[in-house]
């Protein structure tokens, strides 16, 4: 018999496909917890079978969380409660944050056992910048709400991480291409499973690839590169803008306007404006 854990809440990350990714510490906590709060007991039973343990389970999912949370938090005073989701890290597009909040508010110990997370695993496969990324979870399924959600993040200088399902992938990529323009992206699928893949390309090529193809099977994470740096304005850009501004403004004002708009040197532009006027 394993020694019991101290009372409190244990957030346990579980594999996203390959059971070998369950960490020894996660297995140890699951084996010793007084009760495991689960999304789907059939899924977690499979994981427990894999590590050869039997523990009591109690359902905790989107449809019953409000009702069962107070009782679960109360149990944490004297029992160890492990929280798992069907796959990956609880709280990441999965239930759990309110349980953590309430457990903490009640003064209980909260411990995390980190591990697999599809968003982070996809970032490691995509080969796109990882210094700043924005996790968007699932975009809204309806066209207008999805376009609005994309427009909201279009200017953000960060790699975007989205969860998507096979049947919606084509429409999602088309909406991303329309809303974000030509950016590098990756469609990662079935991570840690037999048919793991990462298909890379620009948003428009990926949108075209998945537009008419049968929906890809399995689970998907889409990664989109940040917007590119704007090309610095050239001398020719400066001349063109100056020529236009001189039709409306005196040389000094035209130079000032173009300098501000294109980030060019005002004095140089002024000298050029005088040349152009002659
Ligand atoms: N909590 C999970 C995590 O840590 O990644 C995410 C749960 S969310 C309900 C499920 C979504 O995660 C799937 O629809 C898919 O977008 C993504 N996902 C989960 N496992 C995956 C895998 N093996 N490969 C690709 N995407 C995966």
């Amino acid at each position: 018999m394993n020694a019991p854990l101290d009372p409190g809440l244990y957030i346990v990350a579980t594999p996203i496909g390959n059971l070998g990714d369950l960490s020894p510490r996660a297995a140890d906590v699951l084996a010793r917890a007084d009760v495991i709060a689960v999304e789907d007991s059939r899924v977690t039973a499979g994981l427990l079978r894999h590590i050869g343990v039997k523990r009591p389970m109690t359902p905790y999912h989107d449809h019953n969380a409000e009702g069962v949370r107070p009782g679960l938090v109360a149990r944490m005073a004297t029992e160890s409660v492990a929280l798992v989701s069907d796959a990956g890290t609880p709280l990441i597009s999965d239930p759990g944050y309110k349980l953590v909040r309430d457990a903490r508010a009640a003064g209980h110990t909260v411990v995390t056992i980190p591990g697999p997370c599809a968003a982070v695993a996809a970032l490691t496969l995509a080969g796109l910048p990882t210094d700043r990324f924005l996790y968007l979870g699932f975009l809204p399924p309806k066209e207008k709400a999805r376009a609005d959600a994309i427009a909201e993040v279009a200017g953000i200088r960060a790699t975007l991480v989205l969860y998507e399902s096979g049947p919606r992938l084509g429409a999602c990529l088309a909406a991303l291409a329309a809303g974000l323009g030509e950016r590098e992206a990756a469609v990662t699928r079935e991570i840690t499973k037999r048919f793991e893949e990462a298909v890379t390309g620009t948003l428009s090529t990926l949108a075209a690839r998945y537009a008419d193809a049968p929906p890809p099977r399995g689970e998907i994470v889409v990664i989109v590169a940040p917007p590119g740096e704007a090309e610095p304005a050239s001398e020719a850009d400066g001349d063109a803008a100056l020529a236009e501004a001189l039709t409306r403004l005196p040389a000094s004002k035209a130079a000032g306007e173009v300098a501000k708009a294109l980030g060019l040197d005002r004095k140089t532009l002024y000298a050029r404006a005088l040349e152009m006027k002659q």
Side-chain angles (χ1 to χ4, degrees):
M1 172 71 189
N2 293 311
L5 294 167
D6 290 337
L9 175 62
Y10 296 76
I11 310 297
V12 183
T14 59
I16 56 170
N18 187 326
L19 291 179
D21 292 336
L22 186 75
S23 75
R25 183 168 170 239
D28 177 59
V29 167
L30 292 179
R32 294 162 65 201
D34 291 314
V35 61
I36 305 175
V38 302
E39 273 193 283
D40 182 334
S41 58
R42 289 162 304 180
V43 174
T44 304
L47 185 66
L48 296 182
R49 255 195 317 278
H50 171 72
I51 57 174
V53 303
K54 276 194 176 165
R55 302 305 303 148
M57 291 185 267
T58 188
Y60 186 79
H61 46 67
D62 284 339
H63 307 291
N64 76 346
E66 294 302 316
V68 303
R69 192 180 312 119
L72 213 46
V73 171
R75 288 180 73 170
M76 292 171 201
T78 54
E79 292 179 281
S80 53
V81 177
L83 174 71
V84 299
S85 50
D86 284 350
T89 300
L91 283 79
I92 307 300
S93 292
D94 270 333
Y97 96 84
K98 290 181 181 171
L99 194 62
V100 172
R101 178 195 65 190
D102 291 2
R104 206 177 282 296
H108 302 314
T109 303
V110 180
V111 177
T112 189
I113 295 85
C117 174
V120 174
L123 279 166
T124 67
L125 285 175
L128 294 171
T130 51
D131 52 335
R132 296 182 85 204
F133 59 86
L134 178 62
Y135 174 69
L136 298 176
F138 292 93
L139 290 179
K142 292 204 174 136
E143 203 175 320
K144 166 83 168 70
R146 179 169 55 205
D148 289 349
I150 292 170
E152 203 182 335
V153 299
I156 293 177
R157 298 211 158 270
T159 292
L160 305 176
V161 182
L162 301 93
Y163 286 172
E164 195 44 280
S165 70
R168 285 210 286 259
L169 180 64
C172 173
L173 288 168
L176 288 168
L180 303 179
E182 215 41 339
R183 295 196 199 175
E184 291 299 315
V187 173
T188 63
R189 199 172 64 84
E190 294 291 83
I191 301 170
T192 76
K193 302 183 195 175
R194 183 160 169 221
F195 296 109
E196 173 178 294
E197 68 172 8
V199 180
T200 59
T202 61
L203 280 173
S204 63
T205 56
L206 291 172
R209 175 185 172 130
Y210 290 102
D212 300 321
R217 286 166 187 270
E219 302 195 276
I220 293 165
V221 184
V222 178
I223 307 283
V224 184
E229 295 293 330
E231 286 278 310
S234 66
E235 213 170 285
D237 295 330
D239 277 1
L242 211 46
E244 188 282 321
L246 284 170
T247 63
R248 300 179 281 111
L249 300 167
S252 65
K253 287 208 164 154
E257 183 184 279
V258 174
K260 202 169 168 198
L262 299 186
L264 295 171
D265 179 60
R266 205 190 79 81
K267 271 190 182 165
T268 312
L269 285 169
Y270 180 59
R272 184 79 184 122
L274 294 180
E275 269 174 42
M276 287 167 89
K277 282 190 89 159
Q278 280 166 8

